Every structure is written in C-alpha cells, then in structure tokens.
Amino acid sequence: MINRRLLLRTTGGAAAGALGAAALSSTAAAAEPAGHFAAHHPVDPDPTAGVTRTLLQEHPSPAQGWEAVQTLVQIPRHKESGRHSHPGIEVGYIIHGDVLMEFDDRPPLRLRTGDPFFIPNGVIHNARNVGTVTTMMLSTYVVDETKPLVTTY
C-alpha cells in the first residue's frame, strides 16, 4: 500500500510544468526580438521544484474502501504545488507561511499561518507560495484507497 504513495512526489507535475513552460517561452520568443522576451518575462522552468509531500501516517477508514492519509507539504518561496486533485476530501492547516489556494471552479483563497482549509472531493487546485518563507501545510485526506492520492493536470 505504501508504494502507491510514491505518487506524492510532484515529478509528474513538475515535468509537465517544465514542458509547458518550455513551449510557452519558445512560442513567445519567436514573436519578439532575440533576448527581449527573456529580459522582460522570466519564466520559471519548474514552478514545482523543491515541493515535497512527506507521508506522516496512513490508516484504514471506518468506511470500507477508503483510507485516511496525513502529509506534511512544504512549498519553497515562489513555488507552487501544481494543479492537482484528490479522490476524496482534503482537510488542511497552514503551519507556517502564506499560500494563495487557486481553484478551477471558484475564486482563489488567501491562507496564512494558522488558517485551516477544506477542499472537496475531486476539486482541481494549486497551492502557490506567495510569502517570504517556505510554506508548511498539514494535509489530511479521506480518499478512495484504490486511486492515487494525487492526480496532476
């Protein structure tokens, strides 16, 4: 069961983000004079670099087919989790830092140290560190045990 949690790492999302950024910068660079785009529009080739999700605990839920999973998520300054969803609910708490929680289907939510948050089943979201320190979030999930904890987009 724990091997399934290797998907906690953001390598898939990071690779997709790097490919998207590379495509964006090459398209934009072709439309502007050499060097002009890079000087005025710096693009982070990997906005999810350095983001970690550490599995703290994992237990069967009282509801058959579901499990409770708890992680410590750390997002460095100027980085983000990447757009993703979970096959169940996420109940979280900002231990340290400032995050702009962006959603595909609702306005963003600004979260600061000490703020709790809740993300419904399947909602696509992205946690962007908008503060001056590495953000630390405690996230607890109740999820379908047959599905990956994180699906990236």
Side-chain angles (χ1 to χ4, degrees):
M1 205 52 119
I2 219 83
N3 287 341
R4 180 168 78 83
R5 295 295 173 227
L6 292 176
L7 293 175
L8 289 172
R9 298 220 177 261
T10 57
T11 53
L19 288 174
L24 172 63
S25 60
S26 64
T27 302
E32 296 190 36
H36 180 77
F37 182 79
H40 293 92
H41 306 282
V43 175
D44 187 345
D46 189 355
T48 62
V51 174
T52 60
R53 290 180 177 92
T54 304
L55 178 64
L56 301 176
Q57 55 182 327
E58 179 177 34
H59 301 282
S61 168
Q64 187 171 353
W66 293 81
E67 66 182 341
V69 178
Q70 190 170 60
T71 64
L72 175 64
V73 180
Q74 295 185 67
I75 305 173
R77 289 178 59 205
H78 310 298
K79 297 295 181 175
E80 60 190 63
S81 65
R83 290 177 64 246
H84 66 282
S85 66
H86 308 285
I89 64 164
E90 177 180 0
V91 179
Y93 178 79
I94 306 298
I95 297 169
H96 186 65
D98 295 292
V99 164
L100 185 64
M101 192 70 71
E102 301 166 322
F103 302 95
D104 279 11
D105 66 344
R106 64 192 74 185
L109 179 62
R110 177 72 184 255
L111 300 167
R112 294 176 173 84
T113 300
D115 286 343
F117 62 93
F118 177 85
I119 300 175
N121 181 10
V123 169
I124 298 172
H125 57 286
N126 178 44
R128 181 183 310 276
N129 184 337
V130 293
T132 60
V133 299
T134 294
T135 294
M136 296 176 64
M137 305 185 317
L138 181 65
S139 289
T140 303
Y141 312 88
V142 179
V143 291
D144 181 336
E145 68 183 6
T146 66
K147 297 180 179 172
L149 179 62
V150 177
T151 299
T152 58
Y153 298 92

